[in-house]
Amino acid sequence: MSSFSGLLAGFVFSAVVIVIGQRREEADALASARALKLMLPGFVGLAMASYLRAVIAGEGVCFRASTEEVFSGGVLCVEAVLVLVGITWLIPAYGRTEHDELKIFRWTIQVVAQFCSLQGFLSADNFEKSLGVQNVWMTAAIWTFAALSATGILYYWMHPLGSFSDDARVSITAKASLLTVAAFTILGGATVSTPESIWSGGVDAWPVFLIGQAIPTISAAVILFSLSALPRADPEPDTSSAGIV
């Protein structure tokens, strides 16, 4: 998984360099700028996910490694969707909208977003089971949030984020992604520095539930913003009642 994340980061970095190197008359500068705003945080996040996965590989099989994996999984879920959204902005940037390319990309991202969100909650469920602290209320809470996430992803895929412009949605998404990556990376690194005895002994239920519930929920929230930042079929100016086709 570390190599996979690093490979994706390399591809994204190459794409960023190519887009920056294009002459302005070859593409729509505004759409290209929006693509870069999303792809650069995606590159940073995938690089951090690669680092966290490498740390986990050095841990071996233990409860502390399982905890670190929750943080790295959250980063990877968010950035996988963010990079696809950034790539989608290259379609209007280079005028590739004659044959429903945008619609196909949007449907693909909807499926990927649902998959990534579901995997995050599945990982949280398995994480709590592995530490032996799960109960019926924890399970109910995880899957309630998973259902809310699936509904929200579908809704924000269909509708813009209030009356925000495309630029505002892209900027919010990029900043939210960077903050999420920073928080998850710091927390994952802090977990490495904790004594293994904390995780191998009797673990209290509430911190395990907090980690297991918070990480996929935060990841799902950032994915929602990412979907709202997708390019729409209708051109700007934006309106609060405009939908995404």
Side-chain angles (χ1 to χ4, degrees):
M1 291 301 295
S2 177
S3 299
F4 175 71
S5 301
L7 182 65
L8 288 180
F11 281 129
V12 175
F13 181 77
S14 299
V16 169
V17 172
I18 290 172
V19 174
I20 291 175
Q22 293 293 322
R23 294 192 297 272
R24 294 183 65 86
E25 62 270 17
E26 294 180 357
D28 183 319
L30 181 59
S32 295
R34 291 168 182 161
L36 288 173
K37 285 181 180 180
L38 296 171
M39 292 169 68
L40 187 58
F43 163 71
V44 174
L46 289 170
M48 291 299 99
S50 178
Y51 160 73
L52 290 173
R53 291 286 180 174
V55 171
I56 294 169
E59 286 273 36
V61 180
C62 65
F63 290 144
R64 187 172 65 183
S66 299
T67 309
E68 296 161 18
E69 192 170 1
V70 176
F71 293 109
S72 64
V75 172
L76 189 57
C77 284
V78 168
E79 301 310 324
V81 176
L82 188 75
V83 167
L84 288 177
V85 175
I87 292 173
T88 304
W89 271 106
L90 296 179
I91 295 176
Y94 291 95
R96 302 287 187 179
T97 57
E98 298 88 355
H99 305 289
D100 288 335
E101 294 94 333
L102 190 58
K103 184 180 294 186
I104 293 171
F105 266 70
R106 286 178 48 79
W107 274 103
T108 301
I109 291 174
Q110 164 68 200
V111 173
V112 171
Q114 293 285 7
F115 174 79
C116 289
S117 175
L118 177 61
Q119 287 299 309
F121 287 101
L122 278 172
S123 297
D125 188 56
N126 291 332
F127 165 67
E128 294 180 0
K129 286 179 180 177
S130 69
L131 268 66
V133 297
Q134 192 181 53
N135 59 42
V136 64
W137 294 109
M138 290 183 180
T139 302
I142 286 176
W143 293 112
T144 298
F145 275 87
L148 291 173
S149 172
T151 304
I153 287 173
L154 181 61
Y155 178 83
Y156 282 106
W157 177 74
M158 298 172 62
H159 302 278
L161 186 63
S163 58
F164 289 97
S165 66
D166 282 338
D167 279 338
R169 286 195 295 271
V170 168
S171 296
I172 290 172
T173 300
K175 292 175 182 177
S177 170
L178 285 173
L179 289 173
T180 302
V181 168
F184 287 3
T185 303
I186 291 171
L187 291 172
T191 302
V192 177
S193 65
T194 59
E196 188 176 340
S197 58
I198 293 178
W199 305 101
S200 59
V203 184
D204 291 335
W206 72 265
V208 176
F209 174 71
L210 181 62
I211 294 172
Q213 183 66 69
I215 300 307
T217 302
I218 295 172
S219 299
V222 179
I223 289 174
L224 292 181
F225 280 108
S226 299
L227 294 177
S228 184
L230 278 167
R232 291 168 291 153
D234 58 314
E236 287 189 292
D238 301 324
T239 63
S240 59
S241 61
I244 298 178
V245 179

